[in-house]
């Protein structure tokens, strides 16, 4: 029962850390006499327990419990984007930034920046 609670807690943490896409595959032990030494990734490559890697902007890890991957890039569903802004994604760098729709060279801030000289 303790393992189930720990697993549930870990899943909650991953959900918070992941930006949107999430993949979780519980490790299944088919032969107790010959337990797995790691996880098979989506390409079928064997990954050892404790290993971490990035594949197509998904941060993945292999534990004795599961293989899990989550997106490193936020998307419109997970970020509150003001109407005057848009989210620009760079899949080559696995990053995203918010820019103004009217001038994509200028950053866009979801909230007005506080100016020390103003009374606001």
């Amino acid at each position: 029962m303790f393992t189930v609670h720990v697993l549930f807690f870990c899943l909650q943490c991953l959900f918070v850390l992941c930006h949107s896409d999430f993949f979780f595959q519980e490790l299944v032990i088919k032969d107790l006499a010959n337990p797995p030494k790691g996880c098979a990734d989506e390409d079928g490559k064997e990954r050892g327990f404790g290993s971490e890697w990035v594949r197509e902007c998904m941060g993945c890890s292999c534990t004795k419990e599961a293989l899990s991957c989550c997106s490193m890039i936020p998307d419109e569903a997970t970020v509150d984007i003001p109407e005057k802004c848009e989210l620009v994604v760079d899949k080559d760098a696995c990053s995203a930034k918010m820019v103004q729709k009217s001038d994509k060279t200028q950053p866009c801030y979801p909230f007005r920046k506080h100016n020390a000289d103003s009374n606001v």
Side-chain angles (χ1 to χ4, degrees):
M1 188 64 153
F2 175 73
T3 303
V4 172
H5 287 115
V6 171
L7 182 60
F8 181 70
F9 176 75
C10 290
L11 284 174
Q12 285 179 321
C13 292
L14 285 172
F15 181 75
V16 171
L17 294 175
C18 290
H19 290 290
S20 59
D21 294 333
F22 177 74
F23 172 79
F24 182 85
Q25 181 178 2
E26 188 174 0
L27 186 65
V28 177
I29 300 174
K30 296 177 183 176
D31 181 4
L32 291 175
N34 189 19
K37 296 176 177 68
C39 309
D41 68 13
E42 290 183 355
D43 297 323
K45 182 178 178 182
E46 183 77 19
R47 303 284 187 156
F49 293 129
S51 62
E52 296 180 352
W53 65 98
V54 175
R55 181 181 184 273
E56 297 177 6
C57 296
M58 298 283 284
C60 300
S61 65
C62 174
T63 67
K64 291 182 179 183
E65 290 78 31
L67 164 66
S68 62
C69 298
C70 64
S71 177
M72 300 169 64
I73 302 174
D75 63 20
E76 288 83 4
T78 58
V79 178
D80 187 22
I81 302 172
E83 192 174 315
K84 66 177 184 163
C85 307
E86 70 179 80
L87 191 66
V88 176
V89 174
D90 181 350
K91 289 191 177 187
D92 292 331
C94 295
S95 65
K97 63 181 177 179
M98 202 176 305
V99 296
Q100 295 178 16
K101 286 180 180 178
S102 60
D103 183 356
K104 294 184 182 7
T105 64
Q106 295 298 312
C108 189
Y109 302 100
F111 304 103
R112 190 171 71 173
K113 293 173 75 174
H114 179 70
N115 185 342
D117 297 329
S118 71
N119 293 327
V120 179

